[in-house]
Amino acid sequence: MNDNAPLTSVGSGSTGRIHPGTSCAARVVRVVAAVLCALGLSAVAASPARADPTAGGDLQVAQTLGDRDLTFMLRRVTGLPGPLHVDVLTHRGTAAGTLRLGAVPTGVSADRAEGSSAGTTASRASVRLGGTPGSYGAALDIDRAGPWELVVDDGSRTARIPFVVPGQATSPPELAVFGGFVTAGVLILVTLFVAVRVRRGAWVLLPAGGVVAALAVAVTAALLSASLPPPPQPGGQVDATNDNVTDPYAVVRPVTNDYSRPPVSLELGSYPATAGERGTLRLSVTDGATGLPADDLVVHDGALMHLLVIGPTGELWHLHPIRTAPATYEVRLRLPAAGHYAVSAEFARLGGGVQQVRSATGLTVADGPARGGSARGGSSHNGSARGGAPALPAELSPQGPGTRTIEGVPVRLSAPSPTAGEASTLTARIGDTPTLQPWLGMVGHMIVVGPLDRADATSPTRMGQAAQGAPVWAHAHSMGGDMSGHSAHDMRAAPAHDADAMGHGEAGGMGHGDADAMEDGHETGKGDGHGAGTGSMSGLMPLNGDSPADETVAAYGPDASFVYTFSRPGYYRVWIQAERDSAILTVPYLLRVSPAGGAR
């Protein structure tokens, strides 16, 4: 038999004998068919849905709900229909009780038969909070992609937390890759058929060339897919409806954040409570250009809104109002002292970037009966007696860098020579073990207000009014978290310069004499070898779609370092906040920033 003969069947009788080469081609055909089936199934298989597309995983939202300060963790939804696991993280001092949760779809779809009706509660569950700080969870049923609200009812008020459950559609580059390989597989079959049935080799080149072209398309799409921009994120870059959440690639126009979007106006409702009484502060946000309600706030740094309140004694409240209705928020708090309170809010709008808006009026609280306690985020003290000066605990009195004790935890601040116009590194060592917990997604927060007149900065009654007109309000974050158990800064020389800093009082209130001493003594740490190194970001930043660490992880610190540039010389009130042992510590300091060029 001629070895060069084409692979055809031999004879036409009933025996139907096949050439051995043909059986080999049949095996190749079966293998290729199996590969094509696998590619087809992978191309059409439904992709899982995920909660919070901006983080690629879990969504955490802090809420000041009545007397409780809670963190709600909305775990990712891995399939539809499927469960949404909600973990409620409590802090030290959180009252026990029961929260009633509900999941309400809010998006409108062109398909009326898709999932639950908008505005109706699709699933309910209860969470019983214990008296011990920790995590308490429940599960809600989610039956469709799109925008939702988590409704939280504590029996006296209701919070509505918006979130998005997006579906994952196959991207155009993936379709090109799958289509290229499938086309190449089909053309391979055609090539084999032509090679078996046609004696002319030139005909084989046609399907073979198609195989090469299809493979080129698939490989090119695979290589270029990594450099292509992701689709606009529903709820983060485009308004979330069921339709664009299910297929984010339906929006073909390029979408970019517009950071020139008009800011909102922050309006405070009446606050009739007097000093020492618990009252409810209501806030509304309206678009600065149209005056319409601005109900497009998105979760930023673990909250829909960060509310900062500074009282006349210099006490700070860092609160997270609940959303009770579109563009309407409220928070319940007890303001212990009579006087003026400055108010500022920080949030992010859909496509508008992060905004910090200060109330034009603030709050003025009338004198009232003496009562104890304060909202979490500040600190507790005995309030103020009617007609008397407010009593501020010694541990909350302003002082310069050095060591002090807050709620039994030693905190040491190193602030080497802050100078206006130059980047300064401030390092707070909180405790002596790496057991800090991420709060609002960060190891540490720093609030800066100033510059202030020295008398106002140290006054126990005028701080709120001075902060109302201060040109600088800033909110900075720690540079990172170190989970290695080693500090990012060498603190071996700290005791020596702490002795200098303690020369103007560690725990006592800072009067004018102490402030004078700080002018010459607060620039501690000069030449002590402290660099501006940063800690490792391992564990805090989400990798490969994983969720960032939450408050259940206590493995950071004990150092929290901040880099900040003070724009003007003068006195600044600084509050450093961190979570340790499920308690939020607020540590106040007073810094004097020298003028540029070393002038005094």
Side-chain angles (χ1 to χ4, degrees):
M1 181 173 59
N2 186 3
D3 293 338
N4 296 325
L7 301 178
T8 60
S9 61
V10 179
S12 59
S14 60
T15 57
R17 239 177 3 98
I18 304 297
H19 192 279
T22 304
S23 62
C24 179
R27 287 195 298 270
V28 172
V29 170
R30 287 195 295 269
V31 172
V32 172
V35 173
L36 293 178
C37 290
L39 289 175
L41 290 175
S42 62
V44 302
S47 300
R50 292 185 177 180
D52 185 22
T54 59
D58 302 339
L59 175 68
Q60 54 179 316
V61 185
Q63 294 279 267
T64 304
L65 185 62
D67 295 331
R68 301 184 178 100
D69 199 76
L70 307 170
T71 300
F72 291 85
M73 300 295 303
L74 282 63
R75 306 298 181 182
R76 69 179 66 183
V77 178
T78 57
L80 291 174
L84 168 68
H85 294 280
V86 180
D87 292 334
V88 183
L89 306 182
T90 63
H91 305 98
R92 190 190 305 169
T94 300
T98 300
L99 301 179
R100 287 171 290 277
L101 309 181
V104 179
T106 59
V108 179
S109 174
D111 185 2
R112 296 183 178 181
E114 182 180 358
S116 303
S117 300
T120 61
T121 303
S123 178
R124 290 183 173 89
S126 297
V127 177
R128 182 167 182 80
L129 305 180
T132 303
S135 177
Y136 303 87
L140 298 167
D141 295 328
I142 302 295
D143 60 0
R144 75 180 195 185
W148 290 73
E149 282 186 351
L150 175 65
V151 180
V152 183
D153 182 6
D154 69 347
S156 60
R157 57 191 52 80
T158 302
R160 297 181 176 273
I161 303 174
F163 66 98
V164 178
V165 178
Q168 280 193 331
T170 304
S171 66
E174 289 176 319
L175 292 176
V177 172
F178 293 147
F181 281 118
V182 170
T183 303
V186 172
L187 291 178
I188 288 176
L189 298 179
V190 174
T191 302
L192 292 176
F193 179 81
V194 171
V196 171
R197 295 294 182 182
V198 180
R199 294 179 178 274
R200 297 181 181 180
W203 289 99
V204 179
L205 296 178
L206 293 178
V211 171
V212 174
L215 290 176
V217 171
V219 172
T220 302
L223 293 177
L224 294 180
S225 62
S227 60
L228 295 178
Q233 299 170 352
Q237 293 176 309
V238 295
D239 291 330
T241 67
N242 271 14
D243 297 325
N244 68 25
V245 169
T246 303
D247 185 10
Y249 298 96
V251 182
V252 296
R253 61 181 177 85
V255 178
T256 58
N257 286 335
D258 181 11
Y259 293 103
S260 63
R261 189 172 185 175
V264 303
S265 299
L266 177 66
E267 300 179 9
L268 306 183
S270 60
Y271 185 77
T274 59
E277 294 181 339
R278 190 171 300 280
T280 299
L281 175 62
R282 291 180 173 85
L283 310 98
S284 60
V285 287
T286 56
D287 186 88
T290 63
L292 298 176
D295 193 36
D296 55 359
L297 272 59
V298 295
V299 174
H300 160 66
D301 288 343
L304 288 169
M305 177 183 292
H306 299 265
L307 189 71
L308 301 177
V309 181
I310 299 177
T313 63
E315 189 174 2
L316 171 75
W317 287 262
H318 182 172
L319 307 167
H320 304 98
I322 62 173
R323 176 178 172 269
T324 58
T328 303
Y329 297 80
E330 72 174 39
V331 63
R332 190 169 175 82
L333 72 167
R334 178 184 293 146
L335 301 177
H340 189 80
Y341 290 76
V343 179
S344 174
E346 179 181 306
F347 42 75
R349 296 185 66 185
L350 173 64
V354 180
Q355 302 178 17
Q356 187 177 57
V357 181
R358 199 185 317 178
S359 170
T361 58
L363 292 175
T364 300
V365 177
D367 204 355
R371 298 194 180 189
S374 69
R376 197 225 43 85
S379 55
S380 297
H381 57 72
N382 294 327
S384 61
R386 179 182 290 273
L392 191 65
E395 70 176 12
L396 295 180
S397 299
Q399 69 172 58
T403 302
R404 66 190 311 170
T405 300
I406 301 294
E407 299 187 20
V409 179
V411 182
R412 180 169 59 221
L413 177 66
S414 170
S417 305
T419 302
E422 299 179 5
S424 300
T425 300
L426 287 74
T427 301
R429 167 161 285 193
I430 304 169
D432 53 6
T433 57
T435 54
L436 298 183
Q437 301 163 257
W439 183 49
L440 305 175
M442 307 291 173
V443 171
H445 299 256
M446 183 174 70
I447 312 300
V448 178
V449 173
L452 304 168
D453 180 82
R454 185 181 67 185
D456 292 333
T458 57
S459 171
T461 58
R462 299 198 303 268
M463 179 59 201
Q465 189 64 56
Q468 180 73 44
V472 174
W473 280 58
H475 180 186
H477 295 141
S478 175
M479 293 184 293
D482 187 1
M483 296 183 66
S484 64
H486 303 286
S487 171
H489 292 259
D490 183 5
M491 300 296 290
R492 291 173 296 180
H497 68 73
D498 279 344
D500 295 335
M502 298 294 288
H504 47 269
E506 175 180 351
M510 176 175 288
H512 288 186
D514 291 326
D516 290 332
M518 190 179 67
E519 290 187 13
D520 297 322
H522 90 285
E523 297 108 334
T524 59
K526 181 180 289 186
D528 61 2
H530 290 196
T534 62
S536 170
M537 293 297 287
S538 61
L540 275 181
M541 301 301 293
L543 299 175
N544 299 325
D546 292 336
S547 300
D550 55 42
E551 298 174 41
T552 60
V553 179
Y556 298 92
D559 288 351
S561 296
F562 306 85
V563 173
Y564 182 74
T565 300
F566 296 91
S567 59
R568 305 181 185 185
Y571 290 90
Y572 287 81
R573 289 298 297 267
V574 174
W575 296 266
I576 292 177
Q577 294 188 298
E579 182 174 0
R580 188 174 186 268
D581 295 333
S582 297
I584 311 301
L585 303 178
T586 301
V587 192
Y589 285 99
L590 179 60
L591 296 181
R592 181 186 179 276
V593 177
S594 301
R600 300 194 64 81

